[in-house]
Amino acid sequence: MSTEMQMFAVADDRMTCSPMPSAQLASLGVWEATHLERWVVDHPEVLGDNVRIVTTQYNKWSSDSGDLARERLDILGLDASGQLVVVELKRGIDSVVHMQAITYASLVAGFSKKTLADAHADYLNRSTSDRIYAPDVAAQLLEGHVDGSWDDDVLTIPKIILIAEDFTAQTYTTVTWLSNLTPNLVIELHTVNAFLLEGGKPFIIFRRLFPAVDPSTRVLTPGVAVTSANSVATKIAESNRRMRTTHLLYDLKTIPEGSELTFDLRGFRDAGTVALVDAWVAEDPLRGKAIWADDRARPLRWCASDSEETFTPTGLTKHIIAEAGGRAQLSISGSDVWKWNGQNLYQVGVEAEARNTGTHA
């Protein structure tokens, strides 16, 4: 199918525009592993919000009986909900790209947090010569990236992202059918297209073609289907909603800039950490307060610091726990522990979304 993307150059007087010529990646000497992979690794934001690259060109698949598979996964990412992101790259058009990606996703679903940390450590050591990353250090980096709780079962339902210049009707039909048949399986089609500036210099555009609207960006919409309290899909959806709470509150301008928020760990399952942090905050009450800042991604400025640095709610939560002497890598969602007007941010977001959509929380 055609992406039908057209680009136009606007004249200096803004009165006219002229079409910009497109170019095939192959004609520009672009290759998947050499160039396209590098672009995505350097700019993982093209995959979505808060995706960390775990590894590239991974092919160490095996079974307990000694069977080996040599399929080579282009890119494996991890989003802040703890869901794995399988990325398959194609220059041009490939009618079976979706079949390859489904195979990779089935292999990736066998990862545990331990084996994932091993793969990440190997990738980091291949990518940098500055230091040696042990698996336990890689595990801490992955844990620190995830917003909230993260269990092995979340790894069993990876998201699939296909990136190509275009997709055949066969691929689009199959992906649409699978998405409707199995709602818990998320498959996205992204295009990467090249156009030429005046003088022939190429520029690249990434965009998501399917689904047209990401349902997860409607973070806190009441009525999201919940099939089972313990289902993996529900855990991923819940984590995504909490993770994007601050984006929603910022976009809806729910909390005025300069408002004070308070830190409240009561209800957190680790009673020892709660006692430790409460005692530390009691020594200086400013340690348990933050100011809402004009920053969509990192809206909290800690009152106990003279720095202008801002944090995500989860980032500041883990920072406070670490400063108090606790374990910063605890699984906890900052949207549950930071409060404004007596409600945690998640609750504030639910009500704000309900008012915005005209529904009832």
Side-chain angles (χ1 to χ4, degrees):
M1 60 173 295
S2 172
T3 59
E4 299 179 350
M5 176 177 287
Q6 299 183 46
M7 299 293 294
F8 293 82
V10 179
D12 291 341
D13 62 5
R14 307 295 188 266
M15 298 300 294
T16 61
C17 62
S18 56
M20 303 179 68
S22 60
Q24 298 297 309
L25 295 179
S27 71
L28 299 174
V30 172
W31 294 90
E32 289 101 338
T34 306
H35 305 104
L36 191 51
E37 178 185 302
R38 183 76 264 162
W39 300 343
V40 175
V41 168
D42 288 346
H43 299 282
E45 62 269 22
V46 302
L47 304 175
D49 292 334
N50 300 314
V51 175
R52 181 184 180 89
I53 303 301
V54 176
T55 189
T56 61
Q57 297 300 315
Y58 186 84
N59 67 343
K60 297 179 181 179
W61 317 102
S62 64
S63 70
D64 291 339
S65 60
D67 298 322
L68 300 176
R70 292 303 178 191
E71 282 80 5
R72 189 177 290 274
L73 170 62
D74 288 336
I75 297 175
L76 180 63
L78 178 72
D79 72 16
S81 74
Q83 186 176 30
L84 291 173
V85 181
V86 172
V87 184
E88 177 66 8
L89 307 171
K90 290 296 178 185
R91 183 186 68 169
I93 303 174
D94 187 324
S95 62
V96 297
V97 60
H98 53 288
M99 301 304 296
Q100 291 176 288
I102 290 171
T103 297
Y104 295 142
S106 68
L107 293 169
V108 162
F111 269 115
S112 65
K113 289 165 63 176
K114 180 182 183 302
T115 55
L116 192 69
D118 291 339
H120 192 43
D122 179 68
Y123 166 72
L124 292 173
N125 291 325
R126 284 190 283 116
S127 304
T128 180
S129 58
D130 294 341
R131 58 176 292 187
I132 300 298
Y133 288 87
D136 62 330
V137 174
Q140 291 177 6
L141 292 173
L142 296 176
E143 288 275 3
H145 178 71
V146 175
D147 192 326
S149 61
W150 186 35
D151 300 315
D152 278 334
D153 58 357
V154 175
L155 303 178
T156 63
I157 305 183
K159 175 193 292 187
I160 298 173
I161 297 180
L162 310 180
I163 300 180
E165 288 182 80
D166 208 345
F167 296 97
T168 65
Q170 176 184 344
T171 294
Y172 197 86
T173 300
T174 304
V175 168
T176 302
W177 176 70
L178 283 172
S179 298
N180 291 332
L181 182 68
T182 313
N184 291 340
L185 177 63
V186 177
I187 307 178
E188 296 182 357
L189 304 181
H190 292 215
T191 54
V192 53
N193 299 110
F195 291 84
L196 300 178
L197 297 166
E198 186 176 352
K201 182 178 180 179
F203 73 94
I204 302 297
I205 293 179
F206 289 89
R207 68 166 181 160
R208 188 180 64 216
L209 181 66
F210 176 87
V213 177
D214 181 0
S216 66
T217 62
R218 303 302 296 172
V219 185
L220 302 171
T221 302
V224 171
V226 179
T227 57
S228 167
N230 296 318
S231 72
V232 176
T234 299
K235 291 170 70 172
I236 292 172
E238 185 71 13
S239 181
N240 273 317
R241 290 196 296 273
R242 278 180 158 75
M243 181 180 67
R244 294 188 173 93
T245 294
T246 53
H247 293 175
L248 181 79
L249 293 175
Y250 180 91
D251 293 342
L252 296 179
K253 302 186 184 305
T254 304
I255 302 178
E257 184 180 357
S259 296
E260 184 178 279
L261 282 74
T262 57
F263 183 73
D264 185 357
L265 269 184
R266 285 176 296 178
F268 183 52
R269 63 181 180 273
D270 188 334
T273 296
V274 173
L276 178 69
V277 174
D278 281 351
W280 185 75
V281 169
E283 296 174 1
D284 180 359
L286 289 179
R287 293 171 175 172
K289 296 180 180 180
I291 299 299
W292 187 263
D294 185 22
D295 189 317
R296 186 175 189 270
R298 303 161 67 93
L300 298 189
R301 182 174 293 111
W302 194 26
C303 292
S305 172
D306 294 329
S307 170
E308 292 298 306
E309 180 182 7
T310 56
F311 298 82
T312 65
T314 297
L316 183 52
T317 297
K318 292 184 176 182
H319 180 73
I320 289 174
I321 291 173
E323 289 290 304
R327 292 189 300 115
Q329 301 306 325
L330 285 171
S331 294
I332 187 170
S333 172
S335 296
D336 293 330
V337 300
W338 283 100
K339 291 187 174 182
W340 179 65
N341 285 349
Q343 292 183 301
N344 66 40
L345 292 180
Y346 179 70
Q347 295 168 327
V348 174
V350 168
E351 295 186 1
E353 177 71 358
R355 288 193 299 270
N356 186 57
T357 59
T359 60
H360 296 286

